[in-house]
Amino acid sequence: MKLHEYQARDLLAQNGVATTRGRVASTPAEARAIATELGGKVVVKAQIHAGGRGKGRLVAENETAAMFQKLTTDPANHSGQVKGERVGGVRLADTPEEAEQAAAAILGKHLVSIQTGPEGKLVKHVLVAEQTDIAKEYYLAAIIDGMQGSALIMASAEGGQEIEVVAHNNPDAIVRVPVNPTAGFEPYVGRLLAARLGFAGTQADQFAKVAEGLYKTLMATDASLVEINPLALTADGRVVAVDAKLTIDDNALFRHKDLEALRDKDEEDPLEIKAQELGVANFIKLDGNIGCVVNGAGLAMATMDTIKLAGGEPANFLDIGTVNDPQRVVSALQVILEDPSVKAILVNIFGGMARVDIIAQGVIDAHRQMKIDVPVVMRLIGTNLAEGEKLVEESGLPLIRASGLFEAAKKAVEAAASAA
Ligand code: GDP
Ligand code: MN
């Protein structure tokens, strides 16, 4: 689950990270009031679940695709200012009136950045925060490094730009320090990072405190990523977080009921939300036209690869897991059928703990409970195969059968092509 900047910065602040003062607004008048409260000189920032806002562009809904094309094809278009001609979703305002105008220009528009995709994102909130007089921009992030089984802090003196660009052009400019999970954040970690970035004296102390707060935030929220880019060294010598990004591991959400309220469903894919509501946890929407119902993430990957090998494109990744309730299969098919781009469905089941007959019953129940007007290809193997086969045969439904995975994928691709 991704958070907005205004939410992430509050969590960082609670864990000891120095941030600017600021609050979220949903109308220009509110933005003006907050700016007045903060003394007038503020930055007004679009709140969307995507980065690259500063270099993005605000457009009407029907112009997003063309703008995305422009940003991604010509690097010259991909630049940004906080004030002036090439201003995007992050704007400096020197008076409450300017803050109101900036908010009016941002709210209700679609912000397109290289991270939003061609649809862009509708901006419904802006963060109004104290302006920072930035002398230098740094990058600082904490992630869970699955390979090492620990948290990893990454930092760079080349902040402000996308870290992928730094990693590509100058990989040595990124410092990586793991944090021992048993010992926790020891003082040397902060000192080492500070020294490697060139901080000294009081700035090194301030930086170390930010790094520790970042790590605490990662642990406290079960985040997979917490990022501050840029972390600013201000003209008057302070080290302050100017941006914040935080992604919580969905698998840990059950133990963070308090964070659940921070979810912004408007930013998420409606089909993925529906899947979660129906208890189909592993559903990811993709761009193709073959819907997949598969058990196990590995088999889901193999199925998608095989569809591609057979010349097709999967419309989704759906792992129904170890199902022993036919209704779960019905729910899975219901989610897939809501996607208008689906022209065929491939059910690929390897029955282990899950039984083939239960899955078969689910597919049959789905046909009885709703109108399924796309062809369904079934490839079943494993536990209770004979019972499953029998159910399918007796149902009299026009299910397309296949015994091998490649055969099944080919049949699904053909069915989708003739239906399209
Ligand atoms: P992003 O583009 O979505 O990553 O949004 P950021 O919050 O990182 O803002 C983009 C850029 O705007 C930053 O890298 C800064 O250079 C600039 N910026 C943001 N806030 C301020 C501010 O308070 N003062 C100044 N001078 N620049 C800012
Ligand atoms: Mn940023």
Side-chain angles (χ1 to χ4, degrees):
M1 178 175 101
K2 288 184 182 174
L3 298 190
H4 284 296
E5 176 191 10
Y6 75 90
Q7 301 166 326
R9 72 203 301 276
D10 285 352
L11 291 168
L12 283 168
Q14 282 164 26
N15 287 286
V17 173
T19 59
T20 53
R21 288 187 303 150
R23 276 197 295 123
V24 70
S26 43
T27 64
E30 255 182 276
R32 181 191 184 119
I34 298 169
T36 307
E37 224 177 273
L38 295 175
K41 279 175 78 96
V42 293
V43 58
V44 180
K45 309 176 75 176
Q47 298 295 289
I48 57 168
H49 281 188
R53 296 164 300 170
K55 293 178 183 176
R57 288 290 172 277
L58 290 150
V59 295
E61 187 171 12
N62 61 358
E63 298 165 340
T64 59
M67 181 51 77
F68 185 71
Q69 174 82 10
K70 224 168 134 180
L71 292 181
T72 45
T73 47
D74 185 356
N77 288 319
H78 187 232
S79 67
Q81 295 175 329
V82 280
K83 214 163 191 185
E85 294 273 291
R86 296 203 58 81
V87 74
V90 177
R91 303 182 178 206
L92 296 189
D94 291 331
T95 62
E97 292 70 38
E98 279 182 30
E100 183 172 8
Q101 286 158 13
I106 294 173
L107 289 164
K109 293 273 182 41
H110 280 71
L111 178 55
V112 182
S113 84
I114 53 163
Q115 292 183 23
T116 62
E119 315 83 40
K121 286 202 176 270
L122 175 65
V123 188
K124 292 178 305 168
H125 304 284
V126 289
L127 168 69
V128 182
E130 279 171 317
Q131 238 182 66
T132 311
D133 190 354
I134 303 176
K136 182 165 169 51
E137 302 194 353
Y138 294 83
Y139 176 92
L140 181 65
I143 59 164
I144 295 297
D145 180 353
M147 295 287 277
Q148 295 295 328
S150 75
L152 178 72
I153 300 187
M154 296 191 295
S156 175
E158 297 190 15
Q161 52 182 320
E162 293 88 38
I163 199 65
E164 294 80 5
V165 176
V166 181
H168 181 262
N169 295 340
N170 189 8
D172 292 342
I174 303 173
V175 184
R176 293 179 173 81
V177 179
V179 180
N180 182 310
T182 312
F185 191 96
E186 296 173 281
Y188 84 88
V189 175
R191 286 199 295 268
L192 178 63
L193 283 162
R196 299 270 301 273
L197 294 189
F199 284 111
T202 158
Q203 272 88 40
D205 295 342
Q206 290 182 57
F207 173 84
K209 186 151 185 280
V210 171
E212 180 169 14
L214 180 87
Y215 174 79
K216 280 188 183 161
T217 309
L218 183 88
M219 290 296 134
T221 61
D222 277 319
S224 52
L225 165 83
V226 189
E227 185 185 85
I228 300 172
N229 187 26
L231 175 68
L233 172 62
T234 66
D236 58 0
R238 290 172 301 120
V239 178
V240 184
V242 169
D243 190 10
K245 181 173 168 181
L246 198 157
T247 306
I248 296 167
D249 185 337
D250 289 337
N251 295 311
L253 268 181
F254 74 95
R255 56 184 191 190
H256 294 284
K257 291 290 173 236
D258 50 324
L259 297 176
E260 200 106 39
L262 303 181
R263 167 162 251 144
D264 183 351
K265 289 197 172 174
D266 292 350
E267 295 275 337
E268 298 176 10
D269 188 279
L271 272 184
E272 290 179 16
I273 293 170
K274 169 128 199 189
Q276 282 163 14
E277 283 166 7
L278 290 170
V280 182
N282 287 316
F283 175 85
I284 293 161
K285 166 98 178 75
L286 302 170
D287 297 330
N289 63 3
I290 299 175
C292 310
V293 178
V294 179
N295 63 329
L299 188 59
M301 304 265 227
T303 306
M304 294 193 300
D305 283 350
T306 312
I307 287 173
K308 282 185 178 260
L309 264 180
E313 289 290 336
N316 68 276
F317 172 106
L318 189 155
D319 165 19
I320 46 169
T322 301
V323 189
N324 282 311
D325 171 9
Q327 201 54 35
R328 276 269 291 285
V329 181
V330 177
S331 297
L333 286 168
Q334 195 185 335
V335 170
I336 287 179
L337 287 165
E338 288 225 354
D339 179 354
S341 50
V342 168
K343 299 291 178 243
I345 294 174
L346 171 55
V347 180
N348 183 29
I349 297 298
F350 185 90
M353 300 249 281
R355 286 159 34 197
V356 164
D357 55 332
I358 299 269
I359 312 274
Q361 189 61 53
V363 174
I364 294 164
D365 288 354
H367 276 86
R368 298 205 172 121
Q369 291 176 28
M370 56 200 174
K371 193 165 156 297
I372 300 183
D373 46 16
V374 298
V376 178
V377 180
M378 297 251 278
R379 187 250 176 172
L380 305 170
I381 195 162
T383 311
N384 285 10
L385 177 61
E387 289 84 343
E389 296 275 7
K390 189 157 171 272
L391 285 172
V392 171
E393 256 152 55
E394 286 172 359
S395 75
L397 290 168
L399 300 163
I400 303 169
R401 308 298 315 282
S403 51
L405 176 51
F406 193 60
E407 181 198 344
K410 272 199 304 198
K411 284 183 169 168
V413 173
E414 279 162 22
S418 53

